Amino acid sequence: MAQFALFGLANASWLGRLPAVRDDLGVNSAQLGALLIIGGLGSLAGALVIGAVVGRIGSRAALATATGANLVGFGLIALGTATSSIPVFAIGAVLNGLCGAFINVPINVSAAAVEQRLGRTVLPHFHAGFSIGAAAGAGLAAGFAAFGVAPAVQFPIVIMLVTAVRAALLAPSMRFAPRPHGAADGTGGGMTTATGSVAARPGRREAVRQAMRAWGEPRTLLLGVVLLAASLAEGSAGNWLAIAVDDGFPVGEAVAAATYSAFLVSMTAFRFLGTGLIDRFGRVRVLRVSGATALVGVLLFVFAPALPLALVGVVLWGCGTALGNPVAIAAASDDPARAPQRVSVVTSFSTISSLAAPPLLGLLADAVGARHALLVIAGATVVSLAAAGVVRRQPAGPAPTPARSHELSSQLHSLRLPVYRVL
């Protein structure tokens, strides 16, 4: 959980200083957005290869590598900001994006292994830890800004502290992490088999083949759709909720920021409270109810005639969004032996969402207004509701292939029935 919190803190602490970064680089908002998209391409590249990397060297080695590379990436961002060098900044952003995937997948795979060992739902707690870390990082950025500390000074201070704590936690967190049968043991030494013996890790070519095979699994791709919708609902709130409130209601920037805080608080709280519901009612029911709640919340916010009603929609939106991400990750990790490859595929959909959503919503906001642009989230939520059946727990077994028509048919059936319920 500490690794999740550190991940959120490191990301939010520098994103909170983007206005100052823009000024120090001497670029406009559109140019800064292009630089951030370049960094997002690094995230996408990392998401595409991390499954093979973790399958080859293990979660612990991948996370240790990313920890060191993240230090270099932040150093380049700080150097680029201090010297107004756009190329140096861009290289640092790409490296940080790559490291994001190399941190995100290993910690999620390890957290899913903890959940499987405990025999109860806890993965949303880890994601709540990320949210808490992100809130702390945003507060840290605000504090540095209030004291007039330049981003080029802040970034090295924060990342050195994060790296030190992450490295201190890395050995014990991975040493005591459970090793499910057939799962990567996290140490880089091999794979733990059902008999308890340690088999050799797959070679480089086999690791790549296993990673590519996950892209042909219908269930894994549909889980990616579920995660894409959840990431769109969560990320769009971060990018556009405060702007939509400020544009849609004459309340001022402070109230708009407080509205986004209400979204974060409701989402984080439900990530702690919703685990018992998953254990009692199952993933599919909870995900469907969550999706319907998010859909109602978004529609209420978009069409509310007054701010109090819109605030109710924001709270419902936050609660409904809370569990989509961890439930999709947990479902992708049902088979521990294939969890790294499947989580890599699923999280790549989240990265695509973070790349495509900001410019798309920006164009829509210019055309129809920020509040009505958020109706895109409602459309994505309906698709996620239709695909919710794929999060049902699956036993570990042979990897499915596209040639298995009966399995693909069952996946399509899981799409059909919920659509009737939604309508």
Side-chain angles (χ1 to χ4, degrees):
M1 287 190 73
Q3 294 284 7
F4 274 80
L6 289 170
F7 189 33
L9 188 150
N11 287 337
S13 65
W14 89 274
L15 291 175
R17 301 300 307 276
L18 285 182
V21 169
R22 178 189 59 192
D23 295 340
D24 289 345
L25 288 175
V27 298
N28 58 34
S29 296
Q31 290 169 326
L32 179 62
L35 289 172
L36 294 178
I37 289 175
I38 291 173
L41 293 175
S43 298
L44 182 58
L48 293 175
V49 302
I50 184 59
V53 172
V54 172
R56 180 77 176 96
I57 67 175
S59 293
R60 184 180 185 276
L63 183 55
T65 301
T67 297
N70 210 200
L71 182 62
V72 176
F74 268 102
L76 290 173
I77 285 178
L79 179 61
T81 303
T83 61
S84 299
S85 173
I86 293 176
V88 172
F89 180 90
I91 294 172
V94 170
L95 183 56
N96 267 359
L98 188 68
C99 291
F102 275 62
I103 294 171
N104 185 28
V105 171
I107 63 177
N108 270 291
V109 169
S110 296
V114 172
E115 178 175 283
Q116 291 161 356
R117 181 64 173 267
L118 291 177
R120 57 187 175 87
T121 303
V122 294
L123 194 57
H125 292 174
F126 290 89
H127 286 251
F130 175 88
S131 299
I132 293 171
L140 198 60
F144 276 108
F147 283 100
V149 178
V153 176
Q154 173 197 321
F155 296 161
I157 293 174
V158 172
I159 194 58
M160 284 192 291
L161 290 174
V162 168
T163 301
V165 178
R166 187 178 279 157
L169 293 170
L170 182 59
S173 68
M174 292 302 181
R175 186 169 68 249
F176 294 115
R179 289 184 280 179
H181 296 323
D185 67 1
T187 64
M191 304 285 285
T192 304
T193 67
T195 61
S197 60
V198 177
R201 287 194 178 277
R204 186 180 298 114
R205 290 183 180 178
E206 179 59 25
V208 172
R209 277 196 293 268
Q210 290 176 0
M212 294 302 297
R213 196 177 298 132
W215 284 95
E217 298 173 3
R219 178 176 181 264
T220 302
L221 295 177
L222 289 173
L223 286 173
V225 172
V226 172
L227 186 56
L228 186 148
S231 299
L232 179 64
E234 183 178 344
S236 298
N239 292 326
W240 293 102
L241 181 55
I243 295 174
V245 171
D246 192 39
D247 290 351
F249 305 97
V251 293
E253 187 178 357
V255 175
T259 303
Y260 177 55
S261 296
F263 174 87
L264 288 176
V265 169
S266 59
M267 183 179 67
T268 303
F270 205 74
R271 280 178 169 170
F272 280 114
L273 299 174
T275 54
L277 297 176
I278 295 174
D279 289 334
R280 182 173 181 179
F281 299 107
R283 291 176 185 166
V284 177
R285 287 184 181 179
V286 170
L287 187 61
R288 285 174 179 161
V289 173
S290 294
T293 302
L295 179 61
V296 171
V298 171
L299 293 176
L300 197 57
F301 173 76
V302 170
F303 296 111
L307 182 61
L309 192 58
L311 284 174
V312 174
V314 168
V315 172
L316 292 175
W317 177 2
C319 291
T321 302
L323 299 179
N325 197 314
V327 165
I329 295 292
S333 303
D334 278 340
D335 185 349
R338 297 179 178 86
Q341 294 82 9
R342 290 172 176 168
V343 172
S344 173
V345 172
V346 169
T347 55
S348 67
F349 281 77
S350 175
T351 304
I352 292 170
S353 171
S354 67
L355 281 173
L360 172 63
L361 288 174
L363 292 173
L364 288 175
D366 286 340
V368 300
R371 269 213 298 167
H372 288 89
L374 294 174
L375 284 173
V376 171
I377 300 172
T381 302
V382 171
V383 175
S384 177
L385 278 168
V390 299
V391 303
R392 187 173 285 107
R393 294 185 186 275
Q394 299 289 316
T401 64
R404 295 184 178 180
S405 58
H406 65 281
E407 179 171 348
L408 179 57
S409 175
S410 67
Q411 299 292 346
L412 294 176
H413 176 73
S414 73
L415 279 173
R416 271 200 313 271
L417 183 58
V419 171
Y420 297 146
R421 294 178 179 174
V422 169
L423 294 177

